Amino acid sequence: MSEKFIPIVDHRVNHRDSHRQHARLSIPAILEQPNGQVVDTFGRSLNDLRISVTDRCNFRCVYCMPKEVFDKNYLFLPQTSLLSFEEITRIAKIFVAHGVSKLRLTGGEPLLRKNIEKLVEMLRGLRTHDGQELDITLTTNGSLLARKAQSLKDAGLTRVTVSLDSLNEATFRQMNDVDFPVSDVLEGIDAAHQAGLGPIKVNMVVKAGLNDQEIVPMARYFQNSPHILRFIEYMDVGSSNGWRLDDIIPSSEIRQRLNDAGMSLLPIAANYASETAERWRYADDSGEIGFISSVTNSFCHDCSRARLSTEGKLYTCLFATEGHDLRALLRDQQSAHSDIAISSVVAQLWRARSDRYSELRSQNTVELSAPRKKIEMSYIGG
Ligand code: SAM
Ligand code: SF4
Ligand code: SF4
């Protein structure tokens, strides 16, 4: 593979940038009622909203929040910048009216947000355009899950996804970089299963030379279990992780390694068009396994995901460099905007969307080593 890389960058300066004045969104002259079917320039609908509820985390995963950047001097967002639960719910309702049926709470570490169950409960009250309940999921590093699984279920959470990069104690501690033990995450997975938050998806980011020796043990561990392990190709998100194309292990190679270890796999159909993971099953019917090939097999063509940052900026792509400040509309001191006014802005933004970063990257039409102010995963959510 080529030697493309993104150098480790101290993002503090860029982070301050995130407070700078962005172009104000303006309310269109003609307001429109949402009909649940807004589409972008490529005909992609808006089905999925990922909501980052905090930019803080108790882990310092080397591929996401490396310690040398996210240290004690790092400027995390002040409490007043965060969207309140009422504001999040109001925005979510507007997105749901445009077709969103799936909400994912993320971060940072979403379980660090105080009273997160209360937010789940508020979101649970929303209904899709045709009166259906929403799918409300949450992605967590699992550290607080054993404690919180039951209350999250009681509040109305549908499912959880747990990130786990290794079963090997030394490797896991090296990857989370805060000396957090594997056993506590495994306990969290068990507790979530007991609480009925399954099927639990377990996400493993694979970084060559760091945890790729854990591919086969992880697959063996979750084979014959009700949980679905998904391997994620390490991505060039943000500007802090020093990403190099050589750091990724392509999904095809992971499947080959599993096959060589006696685990042969067969592809299965996607649950829905915009699903990020390619679904496979063990040929001996011992369970399902997935691959998120964000680098080698981009899924931009069906991407129906929008992201709401912790401070209320809308990002229409994980790799977008600018967000649209919805919070400024919610908190406008000069005029109180109605839901229909904000909804009309959202419709306009989605209709103008033309993002397809991964597709362009795989066609080699974006220069990966060029300085490009990408947004950190911990700020925008995975
Ligand atoms: N803290 C929670 C967690 O780790 O599950 C939620 C937020 S985290 C940003 C969401 C997901 O993004 C995790 O599954 C994590 O492994 C993944 N992730 C973070 N940085 C990544 C990268 N550079 N490449 C691929 N996946 C990444
Ligand atoms: Fe925290 Fe999740 Fe990022 Fe790890 S991947 S540093 S747990 S936000
Ligand atoms: Fe969606 Fe952007 Fe990822 Fe493509 S690169 S799948 S448009 S988030």
Side-chain angles (χ1 to χ4, degrees), residues 54-66 106-110 139-143 163 165 175-176 205 377-379:
T54 176
D55 60 337
R56 291 164 199 258
C57 188
N58 53 344
F59 282 15
R60 285 291 176 272
C61 300
V62 291
Y63 52 76
C64 179
M65 296 179 78
T106 177
E109 174 46 44
T139 304
T140 173
N141 62 24
S143 57
S163 304
D165 298 325
M175 287 188 82
N176 65 54
V205 174
M377 190 85 139
S378 52
Y379 167 75

Side-chain angles (χ1 to χ4, degrees), residues 11-13 27 49-50 56 112 145 185 190 199 237 255 318 324 367:
H11 213 61
R12 270 168 282 187
V13 177
I27 308 290
L49 180 64
R50 300 191 175 190
R56 291 164 199 258
L112 289 183
L145 193 53
V185 179
D190 284 349
V237 280
R255 283 193 290 274
L318 186 52
H324 307 283
E367 186 45 72

